[in-house]
Amino acid sequence: MLLKKSTLPGTGKMPGNIPPETGKIEFVTSGQINVPESVDSKGAPVPEQKDDKCPNCSAELTSELIKETIGVKNLSAKQQRIINSILPYLNKYRKDFGLDTCLRKAHFIAQIALESAGFTTFEEGEEYSSSISLGVFSSSSIPINITIVESLKDNLTSIFSIVDAKGNEVSKTNDELKSLLLSENPLIVDGELYGKYQGVKDPKSPKKRIGKVIKQVFKPDKSLDYGIILKPHTYFGVPLMSRAYAPYQGDTRGLGNGNELTRDGWKFKGRGLKQVTGRANYESFSKYRKKNNFIDDTTGAIDFTEEKQGDSLKGKYLKLSEDPMYATQSAIWFWNEGTKYNKKSAKQHADNDDVDSVSKAINRYDTKALPKRAKNYERAKIAFEIKEHYEFIKKEKK
């Protein structure tokens, strides 16, 4: 072993009665510095890293969880097909887009279960009856007007008939009926024209339904000339949705649609998992998607309000109801940044476990559906083990 000598100047009092010395002090060491190669930390106290999320918070969404939320023993082939088409996207996006806790997942699935009619569709149905009350539709009688006649111009022969004084039907074209209706301005209930109308009971055969007279037109001598009959008929989807979501005086929905004749109400009816509705919301989703990166989506920016040239009823808005990826993305946009209720998004209300406020953030206008949404969540609480979630959080905070 090599030794190393160090010399330091020394002076001062020595121990006992030894006189002070001056001079140099020599230190001899090996010169070796021992540096440990590693430190065994086994058994050493390491601060515990606590996560306030329960294990289920990070679990993936499954078909079984959805089935339990909608309360069915077995899924139909259609339900299974739709659920299988959206689950890969929901599980890809959930961590980055607010589906990362038990509460958020349970509330989200409960809401879109209602919106998608139990996971059977990506678009709003049009099969409304004559008692429809959406938007401007009313049960009150109003004079027929140019907007109604123009909107239904291709369906007038299916809705009305003309009968002479002897009760014989007089054949009329759509154009002839249009002119006659605008001339006579009969009083109508608008829902009975656009929605499915069953007619009235036949006095001669109570089990049979017949049309009803909405106006009788008389000759100058006051004898009957003809009658305008409202016939039993089916619903007319495009005109109906166009009217339901057209703006009207006092409208607070903020849909951003044009008037009934633009057909915006049909183009931008409820589509996707959330049933995103209204031109303004389709625009907002387009912007959200442009600035937020959805994993593995390489399709680039899309304007979902864009229409196909030469066919105004074919546009990129249809992608929300035709493609599971956009159906899912649009629902996630609304969950995070859609309509607010009491200044909070649906996701924020979910964090407070407030099903009523979550429901109203999703759709505060459909008050009749609130109990159904709440029932979905009661089942989701069991499926997603929300009670156990709270117990875990409480334990972790002790």
Side-chain angles (χ1 to χ4, degrees):
M1 178 183 293
L2 294 175
L3 300 178
K4 181 177 179 180
K5 181 187 290 185
S6 299
T7 304
L8 295 175
T11 182
K13 188 174 183 341
M14 300 297 288
N17 295 321
I18 301 174
E21 284 192 2
T22 60
K24 297 180 180 179
I25 300 173
E26 293 183 347
F27 299 89
V28 180
T29 70
S30 67
Q32 179 177 337
I33 299 175
N34 293 319
V35 179
E37 294 182 2
S38 64
V39 176
D40 185 2
S41 61
K42 185 176 181 180
V46 178
E48 182 181 356
Q49 298 296 320
K50 284 192 174 184
D51 187 350
D52 62 355
K53 292 182 180 179
C54 77
N56 287 338
C57 283
S58 58
E60 289 198 338
L61 292 160
T62 66
S63 178
E64 185 64 26
L65 288 169
I66 292 175
K67 186 180 76 171
E68 292 178 25
T69 298
I70 60 180
V72 296
K73 291 183 178 180
N74 297 294
L75 296 168
S76 69
K78 187 174 187 179
Q79 286 175 312
Q80 193 66 68
R81 184 171 65 252
I82 285 180
I83 291 169
N84 288 345
S85 74
I86 63 171
L87 275 178
Y89 298 112
L90 285 174
N91 285 317
K92 276 184 186 180
Y93 304 149
R94 63 188 175 80
K95 291 181 180 179
D96 296 328
F97 293 97
L99 295 175
D100 52 349
T101 70
C102 294
L103 283 174
R104 290 176 176 181
K105 289 185 290 184
H107 279 284
F108 180 83
I109 295 299
Q111 293 296 328
I112 63 172
L114 189 286
E115 294 288 315
S116 63
F119 295 91
T120 60
T121 184
F122 286 146
E123 66 178 310
E124 181 179 1
E126 301 168 356
E127 304 86 356
Y128 285 92
S129 71
S130 57
S131 60
I132 181 174
S133 58
L134 274 176
V136 74
F137 279 109
S138 170
S139 59
S140 301
S141 295
I142 59 172
I144 202 165
N145 57 50
I146 183 62
T147 297
I148 293 174
V149 173
E150 188 65 30
S151 186
L152 293 166
K153 64 181 181 180
D154 296 327
N155 312 109
L156 295 177
T157 56
S158 298
I159 301 170
F160 300 102
S161 65
I162 305 299
V163 295
D164 61 21
K166 295 181 179 180
N168 298 315
E169 185 171 345
V170 180
S171 179
K172 297 287 183 182
T173 64
N174 280 322
D175 285 340
E176 289 172 333
L177 283 172
K178 178 180 175 181
S179 297
L180 186 149
L181 290 167
L182 290 175
S183 172
E184 296 299 335
N185 293 118
L187 291 175
I188 51 92
V189 175
D190 54 1
E192 293 180 345
L193 273 55
Y194 293 79
K196 183 178 181 179
Y197 176 64
Q198 294 183 333
V200 296
K201 290 183 179 180
D202 186 348
K204 298 177 182 179
S205 179
K207 292 184 178 181
K208 185 180 178 182
R209 294 273 181 168
I210 60 173
K212 68 175 178 180
V213 178
I214 59 172
K215 186 171 184 177
Q216 291 182 315
V217 179
F218 295 90
K219 297 178 181 179
D221 64 2
K222 297 184 179 181
S223 62
L224 180 63
D225 191 0
Y226 61 88
I228 303 175
I229 310 297
L230 175 62
K231 302 192 296 185
H233 60 78
T234 188
Y235 63 91
F236 303 102
V238 174
L240 186 151
M241 302 310 296
S242 299
R243 186 170 181 81
Y245 293 126
Y248 59 90
Q249 189 173 2
D251 189 0
T252 61
R253 297 173 296 178
L255 297 174
N257 290 338
N259 64 42
E260 180 178 341
L261 299 182
T262 67
R263 296 309 195 213
D264 275 3
W266 181 85
K267 296 170 193 172
F268 307 110
K269 69 173 185 173
R271 301 183 191 275
L273 269 181
K274 155 55 191 77
Q275 303 286 290
V276 173
T277 308
R279 176 183 284 273
N281 282 324
Y282 281 63
E283 289 174 350
S284 294
F285 167 52
S286 300
K287 293 175 183 177
Y288 179 84
R289 188 175 164 278
K290 186 176 181 180
K291 69 179 183 179
N292 288 278
N293 180 39
F294 284 92
I295 297 173
D296 296 334
D297 179 2
T298 59
T299 54
I302 297 174
D303 177 3
F304 291 98
T305 67
E306 185 178 324
E307 298 176 6
K308 183 179 179 180
Q309 288 188 346
D311 190 344
S312 63
L313 297 183
K314 294 287 184 182
K316 292 185 178 178
Y317 45 82
L318 295 176
K319 288 180 178 290
L320 271 68
S321 51
E322 295 175 346
D323 191 315
M325 182 173 75
Y326 302 123
T328 305
Q329 290 177 356
S330 60
I332 284 176
W333 157 71
F334 201 92
W335 178 248
N336 286 276
E337 293 191 5
T339 303
K340 305 292 191 294
Y341 178 71
N342 286 340
K343 300 181 180 180
K344 290 184 179 180
S345 67
K347 181 180 73 175
Q348 291 171 314
H349 286 301
D351 289 340
N352 296 326
D353 202 8
D354 184 348
V355 66
D356 185 66
S357 294
V358 173
S359 298
K360 289 175 180 176
I362 296 294
N363 187 344
R364 70 179 184 272
Y365 296 99
D366 188 9
T367 55
K368 292 181 180 179
L370 290 176
K372 295 179 182 178
R373 296 176 188 272
K375 186 65 176 178
N376 280 349
Y377 182 60
E378 286 301 311
R379 290 189 289 261
K381 284 169 68 175
I382 298 172
F384 286 86
E385 299 182 347
I386 299 303
K387 180 180 178 181
E388 290 79 359
H389 167 86
Y390 278 124
E391 289 175 350
F392 180 90
I393 299 301
K394 185 178 180 180
K395 181 180 177 182
E396 288 296 294
K397 288 182 178 180
K398 285 184 178 179

